[in-house]
Amino acid sequence: MMWALVLLPLLGAALSWLVPDNRRRVWVLPLFSLAQLGVSAALLVHTPPPSPAGWIWLDPLGKLVLMANSVLFTICSFYAVGYLSYRLKRPNRVLCASLLVCLSATSLVVISQHLGLLWIALEATTLTMAPLIYFNHNARSIEATWKYLLICSVGIAIALLGLFFLAYSTIVAKQEVSLLLPTLIRDAAALHPGWRHAAFIFLLVGFGSKMGLAPLHTWKPDAYGEAPGLVGALLAGGLVNCALLALLRVYQVAAASSEGALFQQVLLTMGLVSMAFAAVFMARQSDFKRMLAYSSVEHVGIIAVALGLGKGALFAGLLHMINNSLTKGVLFLSCGNIHRAFNSKSTLFVRGAIRRTPWSAALFLAAFLAITGSPPFAPFVSEFLIVSSAFGQGNHWTGGLFLLFLALIFIGMASTVLPVVLGEVPQDLERTRYRDAAPTVLPPLVLMGLVLVLGLWIPAPLQDLLREAARLLGGEA
């Protein structure tokens, strides 16, 4: 049944390619995303045992990423129906097919227990996202696509070298030669320390570039800024989770070896550096979609800080992964509506959106408050747990810097968001035909509702799953 997660979207991609009509083709997306969501829900309730060779299994970490990605993709697929109704002059065959192939690849990432297979699936997500970033077919989008492919492919290539080093460390140590995760965790302490250390460095750099950790984040502002809001939501809320899961697999092996503390320290440093980069570059940002790219850098940094702290912060870091996915979905979908209404993403021209797109502007403002850690939304809970863990462990410098960067980012982001939403509408504003309507407003509204609910109440099954996943990383029960 786990293979259905991979095969169903591929079937949908083939069907979408064959449908000749732009209007009808787009309905393949919600049809097959709902089917994939149903399979995901069934697997969360009744998880089959690992495959005979052990390459395929859905463990608690994979379940978390699968749940977040499936919910986000399903809601975005319904948004795509409304969004593409405004883009009928542009063929959407490649977009629809690529979205479903990407969903298939992300599903393969979450069920892979072999690091080589995981690497192949992760590279597939990189390749399938490229035509989506280029959807607008202009000079800026092709530059963004080229930069995305170049940096992410180099990162993934570095990660491949890391896997080679990890495999070679098993040969040198005369252990069983395998990239199966359970085997690597079992033999981690016995692996050759030099090759193991080199492997961890290369894997951290490689998967860190795919996540967008600073200073490996340089593809994000262009890709997020030029991609449609729908694609940005999946990049920031879905593909980042896949890269994070790959990094968590390495984290599991490092924690089982003698280098777990060093790996955590590097992650903690990179996390704080990412937050610092976001705080600097978010100030006075004139392009509100590029601003969201730096917000993504900030939040992968927050998750990295949680992983670096370890112990109780691991639960909070995994919760923040889910919270970030849902909130980024609201931000990108609502800002995509605003962009369409004003035909611009520059704060010089986009002001007073609450008057032209009241629903989208209100959602954008609410999501801004959520993503910057304001109560009662879900990111506040996870960020509060992370900073509490830092001070509880006596790591006062980390806790202090964490709070400082959050405050600076709030100020910088507010200086962009508030004029966009509440400023004075320019007199010579270009007229566009986009206005808020149910197909493009309801999807981000549903996501915003989930962000609010998780800020007030975390269901017991989700808490249990988060604890199980944290234990796999060496966290506290």
Side-chain angles (χ1 to χ4, degrees), residues 178-192:
S178 174
L179 286 177
L180 280 170
L181 188 63
T183 305
L184 287 171
I185 293 172
R186 182 194 68 201
D187 299 336
L191 300 180
H192 186 277

Side-chain angles (χ1 to χ4, degrees), residues 376 381 450 452-463:
V381 177
L450 292 174
L452 179 59
V453 168
L454 287 178
L456 300 173
W457 170 66
I458 304 174
L462 178 57
Q463 291 189 45

Side-chain angles (χ1 to χ4, degrees), residues 4 13 53 57 63 76 89 99 105 160 171 205 230 256 289 293 312 314 327 340 346 357 367 378 393 399 424:
W57 187 50
K63 288 179 181 179
C76 285
K89 292 182 180 179
L99 281 172
L160 181 61
I171 297 173
V205 171
L230 163 68
K289 289 182 75 175
L314 293 172
T327 314
R340 182 64 38 204
S346 170
T357 54
Q393 294 178 34
E424 289 296 324

